[in-house]
Amino acid sequence: MSGTWSGEPAAPTDADPHRWWGLVVIALAQLMVVLDATIVNIALPSAQRDLGMSDGNRQWVITAYTLAFGGLLLLGGRIADLVGRKRTFVIGLIGFAAASAIGGAATTPAMLFGARALQGVFAALLAPSALSLLSTTFSDPRERAKAFGIYGTLAASGAAAGFIVGGVLTEYLNWRWCLYVNIPFAVAAVIGAYTLLRDRPGHTGARLDVPGVLLGCGGLVALVYGFSEAEPRGWSDPLVLALFALAVVLLGAFVWWQTRAPMPLLPLHIIRDRNRAGCMLTMMLAVIGMFGMFLFMTYYLQVILAYSPLMTGLAFLPMTASILTGSTQISARLLPHVGPRMLMVPGMLLASGGMVILTQMTVDSAYVSEILPALILMGLGMGLTFMPVFSTATAGVAPRDSGVTSATVNTSQQVGGSIGTALLNTIATSTGASYIASHLTDPTRREQVVREGIVHGYTVAIWVAAGIMLVAALVAGLMVTAKAPKHDTPADDPVAEPVG
């Protein structure tokens, strides 16, 4: 196939009898990537003791992964468009499995940090090619809604499932298995990809936009790194401010260059589309709130309520079930009939309501009556929101741009996660410390006051997260104006690129 779009419609899904089995393969790979963002969190204390990591350095187990993943996603998406999505998908799977094996066998902190960074590099190839394969495989509106319902569920619930899997593996085996577990996932997905997935060939005549890669990926790395360093150093630290300034300069230069590049890394018509931009902004805001909540609830359950790693993981299970319900039973059934914002706005309002309930938690809250209802509401909200976001953001894209569009959606997720973790954690620790300082008048109550201060910090940060979710609802309501997909029109008929 040539490097230009000729206007032919997307291949009908009826031509591929294995498409639903192909979805299983794509879902397996996506689950592996999403799980890995959180599965290591629960294993981190054990890994820190085993390898002798300092408290200052331990964050690199998480940061090395998110830096490489978030910073290189645009490059990964464009590589998928140039060399073929299926080939990129398989390379990503094999590399991710190899990096996981190195991490599991790590004997020093540096070896583990390097392996996690390598995982992020291959995840940046894997995630956009998986979403791109999905968006080009399912074009019938009903089938597309169902397929993206499953995909959206994995994106929203995979993080919670990571806590459960991480808890089981850490408690009954050891922390290394939180990395080794990726290998059988990847082997099964590679076999499935070769036997079940179809793809158009890559655009061999096209060239990679090298200045775009350096500016765009460099800007994203600086941004994600800045947010990760804001957590331990503080927002006014010179390094943090310098990283943010560098990110603004590089990303500004990136946008300028994309208007002039002969073969841009990110064709700007992709994000000029009002619906697509609205979906990506909604996604980023939703993930800011969600990642902060996962972080606080993990520590609240383990440190304040003294749950084991396994019990902590199981406590998230009802939320995972409600995400599944909201995504596959509500959103997937309604999206062919209603506009996406009719699902996204109520979804964000529900999630925000769940957050508000969580702000009432104390040092001795009962899980069933005070925590569980909030988790169920948030799960339903995320399920309602994520499925139409993925489906709408990837609809109507020319096949040559499907990889980079998918990468842009994933980038909004990763950047949102980095911002959420740093922003909300900084708010929680600073307000918690202020509470302890002002209430610690009786030395005999020190332990109780510290616990109360920690929970106070969490609730203040969760109030902020609830506000961010409301902003996401507003963005979805104002920007996402797409109508319900027509039953007789493929949902991803390509939009012709503007000339020049």
Side-chain angles (χ1 to χ4, degrees):
M1 186 177 184
S2 67
T4 56
W5 172 242
S6 59
E8 76 270 25
T13 51
D14 301 305
D16 183 6
H18 303 302
R19 61 192 178 281
W20 290 107
W21 283 109
L23 173 62
V24 173
V25 174
I26 294 166
L28 191 65
Q30 175 65 12
L31 182 62
M32 183 177 71
V33 171
V34 176
L35 277 176
D36 220 73
T38 54
I39 194 171
V40 176
N41 285 25
I42 284 182
L44 188 52
S46 303
Q48 184 180 356
R49 284 194 303 273
D50 198 10
L51 299 180
M53 275 179 243
S54 68
D55 285 350
N57 283 340
R58 68 184 175 189
Q59 64 147 334
W60 281 102
V61 175
I62 309 299
T63 307
Y65 180 76
T66 56
L67 256 181
F69 189 11
L72 298 175
L73 268 165
L74 280 179
L75 175 60
R78 191 41 107 192
I79 288 173
D81 289 331
L82 296 181
V83 306
R85 290 170 279 275
K86 178 175 169 179
R87 187 183 301 170
T88 308
F89 182 74
V90 170
I91 292 168
L93 282 168
I94 294 169
F96 197 88
S100 299
I102 294 168
T107 54
T108 64
M111 186 174 172
L112 181 57
F113 301 155
R116 289 287 286 164
L118 202 57
Q119 277 186 308
V121 170
F122 286 105
L125 289 175
L126 188 55
S129 55
L131 182 54
S132 178
L133 281 165
L134 184 67
S135 69
T136 54
T137 299
F138 293 92
S139 59
D140 175 77
R142 286 182 180 277
E143 289 196 347
R144 185 180 176 86
K146 191 183 295 184
F148 274 91
I150 295 166
Y151 188 90
T153 300
L154 290 174
S157 65
F163 291 121
I164 301 169
V165 177
V168 170
L169 293 173
T170 303
E171 203 155 306
Y172 294 109
L173 293 170
N174 64 44
W175 67 267
R176 296 179 185 277
W177 282 95
C178 290
L179 292 156
Y180 289 145
V181 73
N182 292 321
I183 299 170
F185 271 101
V187 169
V190 167
I191 293 169
Y194 273 120
T195 54
L196 297 168
L197 294 180
R198 296 191 315 153
D199 186 27
R200 294 180 176 87
H203 302 283
T204 51
R207 297 191 312 276
L208 200 60
D209 172 21
V210 176
V213 169
L214 296 175
L215 293 170
C217 296
L220 286 171
V221 167
L223 184 67
V224 175
Y225 186 25
F227 277 109
S228 67
E229 286 297 298
E231 192 180 324
R233 292 172 179 267
W235 294 96
S236 58
D237 182 83
L239 175 64
V240 174
L241 294 175
L243 285 167
F244 285 148
L246 180 62
V248 169
V249 170
L250 289 176
L251 291 175
F254 171 74
V255 172
W256 172 82
W257 172 249
Q258 294 309 284
T259 63
R260 287 156 177 77
M263 293 185 178
L265 179 68
L266 175 61
L268 292 182
H269 65 268
I270 288 173
I271 53 174
R272 280 199 199 105
D273 179 86
R274 177 175 178 160
N275 290 297
R276 197 166 292 120
C279 283
M280 289 170 182
L281 192 51
T282 302
M283 165 69 81
M284 188 169 74
L285 292 167
V287 172
I288 287 174
M290 187 178 78
F291 267 57
M293 184 277 300
F294 280 144
L295 183 73
F296 301 137
M297 291 312 298
T298 303
Y299 278 98
Y300 176 76
L301 294 169
Q302 286 198 52
V303 176
I304 305 299
L305 299 187
Y307 282 25
S308 68
L310 177 57
M311 283 298 295
T312 300
L314 291 174
F316 281 108
L317 204 53
M319 181 178 178
T320 307
S322 61
I323 290 171
L324 186 68
T325 303
S327 191
T328 62
Q329 300 306 307
I330 302 174
S331 273
R333 292 173 187 271
L334 291 179
L335 187 62
H337 309 288
V338 301
R341 68 174 167 186
M342 299 300 289
L343 298 168
M344 293 161 65
V345 173
M348 284 292 90
L349 293 175
L350 276 176
S352 182
M355 292 277 189
V356 171
I357 293 173
L358 272 189
T359 62
Q360 308 306 304
M361 68 186 185
T362 64
V363 292
D364 50 9
S365 290
Y367 173 79
V368 172
S369 60
E370 297 172 69
I371 307 299
L372 181 60
L375 294 180
I376 290 173
L377 273 181
M378 284 189 287
L380 279 172
M382 291 296 175
L384 281 173
T385 304
F386 275 41
M387 181 263 157
V389 162
F390 281 122
S391 182
T392 308
T394 56
V397 181
R400 61 180 288 185
D401 289 331
S402 67
V404 76
T405 304
S406 304
T408 312
V409 180
N410 277 287
T411 300
S412 65
Q413 230 182 324
Q414 286 302 308
V415 171
S418 299
I419 294 171
T421 303
L423 173 65
L424 298 177
N425 197 48
T426 303
I427 292 169
T429 51
S430 58
T431 53
S434 299
Y435 180 97
I436 294 166
S438 61
H439 287 74
L440 195 57
T441 54
D442 182 357
T444 60
R445 291 191 66 246
R446 178 176 178 80
E447 185 178 341
Q448 179 67 13
V449 171
V450 168
R451 285 160 58 85
E452 288 173 358
I454 291 170
V455 175
H456 173 74
Y458 292 167
T459 56
V460 171
I462 290 170
W463 271 116
V464 175
I468 292 169
M469 294 288 195
L470 287 178
V471 176
L474 188 64
V475 167
L478 294 176
M479 291 186 68
V480 182
T481 56
K483 302 285 188 273
K486 299 286 192 295
H487 289 283
D488 56 353
T489 307
D492 63 347
D493 270 355
V495 173
E497 296 178 32
V499 179

